[in-house]
Amino acid sequence: MTNEPFEIIGADRPGRWLVACDHAMNMIPDWVHGGDLGLPAADMDRHIAYDIGAAGVTRQLATLLDSPAILSRFSRLVCDPNRGEDDPTIMMRLYDGTIVPGNRNADDVEKEERLKRLYRPYHAAYADLASKMGSPIICAVHSFTPRLNGRHPRPWEIGVLHAEDDRIATPFIAACRAQGWCTGDNEPYAGHLPGDAVDRHALQHGRPNVLIELRQDLIADEAGQTLWANRLAPILSDVLAQSGL
């Protein structure tokens, strides 16, 4: 098993998509708070620690698109690669009602160590992969919990997040709705944050992009992941082909 904080699959594949999974794993490195953030296993298996099902969809989607993928290999609770370095939520102390003991008293020195050993290498590898592709289309894959504590159930099967560049997102949303799927347009939340992964690797370089959010109960097992990867790959291919990009 690699000790790198990222995994790259199919770096030499010819497809134009770069499929990225920022929250692929719930792993805590052994040098972070003794390898344990003080949460029980049940909490580490929840959406607060990683995007359930997203890694499986990412792997299969990249294969179907004959394109490379990059996946993180550390929990979002250690430090969140989908945040800017100066974002106060990059190292969560409280998430969906759960206090994270290993982050509660973490200081700037500890934050810098996590950034240096995990966050920055992940983004350096992401940037290097994108630059070697020439003109990639960024496809970020995430998942969302069907219901936050104390909130209403989320009806969307799939959410599509985008900022000012909607060259891929707008036709992709239309195509998903044409399939009859309950599709959120910047729902269940607006996803753009300054310095986040799409901003850093797509928007700042003028690269077309789409961020896909899948509801976790639909992709919690391999069958669901396979189903949605097979559903999404041809739509993404058609949208790109029709875009003229």
Side-chain angles (χ1 to χ4, degrees):
M1 181 72 74
T2 178
N3 290 320
E4 295 283 7
F6 57 86
E7 178 185 3
I8 291 176
I9 301 168
D12 297 327
R13 289 174 181 165
R16 286 188 62 198
W17 295 95
L18 197 173
V19 188
C21 190
D22 300 321
H23 302 144
M25 297 185 71
N26 58 357
M27 181 183 295
I28 310 295
D30 56 11
W31 53 266
V32 174
H33 206 259
D36 180 356
L37 289 175
L39 292 172
D43 278 329
M44 291 304 300
D45 287 336
R46 292 176 59 217
H47 71 96
I48 64 172
Y50 73 122
D51 279 359
I52 295 166
V57 174
T58 296
R59 294 174 190 280
Q60 296 193 51
L61 190 58
T63 298
L64 292 166
L65 295 170
D66 201 14
S67 293
I70 183 168
L71 302 90
S72 69
R73 297 193 69 255
F74 54 93
S75 172
R76 66 191 302 170
L77 292 178
V78 178
C79 62
D80 193 332
N82 196 34
R83 298 289 186 272
E85 286 199 17
D86 58 352
D87 190 309
T89 66
I90 195 170
M91 195 168 65
M92 295 289 280
R93 291 170 167 81
L94 176 68
Y95 196 174
D96 195 20
T98 298
I99 294 172
V100 185
N103 290 347
R104 192 172 188 176
N105 298 312
D107 58 16
D108 288 342
V109 173
E110 185 164 350
K111 175 184 172 182
E112 175 62 23
E113 185 73 2
R114 298 184 192 186
L115 292 174
K116 180 177 70 175
R117 296 178 66 171
L118 300 171
Y119 177 99
R120 292 177 190 141
Y122 172 76
H123 283 293
Y126 196 150
D128 182 63
L129 180 58
S131 67
K132 287 177 178 174
M133 292 178 66
S135 56
I137 314 294
I138 304 297
C139 177
V141 178
H142 292 257
S143 68
F144 63 93
T145 182
R147 185 173 188 166
L148 290 169
N149 284 332
R151 305 288 184 89
H152 293 295
R154 291 165 160 174
W156 305 280
E157 294 167 276
I158 182 171
V160 183
L161 311 188
H162 56 91
E164 64 270 15
D165 183 354
D166 61 357
R167 291 175 288 175
I168 297 293
T170 293
F172 181 71
I173 291 168
C176 290
R177 288 177 173 170
Q179 295 292 319
W181 306 330
C182 185
T183 305
D185 183 346
N186 276 331
E187 296 286 357
Y189 34 72
H192 176 60
L193 295 168
D196 67 15
V198 168
D199 183 31
R200 184 167 183 160
H201 299 289
L203 299 177
Q204 293 180 22
H205 300 272
R207 293 170 178 146
N209 62 89
V210 62
L211 192 156
I212 298 169
E213 291 267 5
L214 292 163
R215 206 175 68 213
Q216 289 169 357
D217 59 315
L218 302 177
I219 58 169
D221 58 23
E222 186 175 354
Q225 294 157 23
T226 299
L227 173 65
W228 278 94
N230 280 295
R231 284 176 167 179
L232 297 177
I235 295 176
L236 287 167
S237 295
D238 288 348
V239 166
L240 178 56
Q242 294 168 18
S243 71
L245 293 168

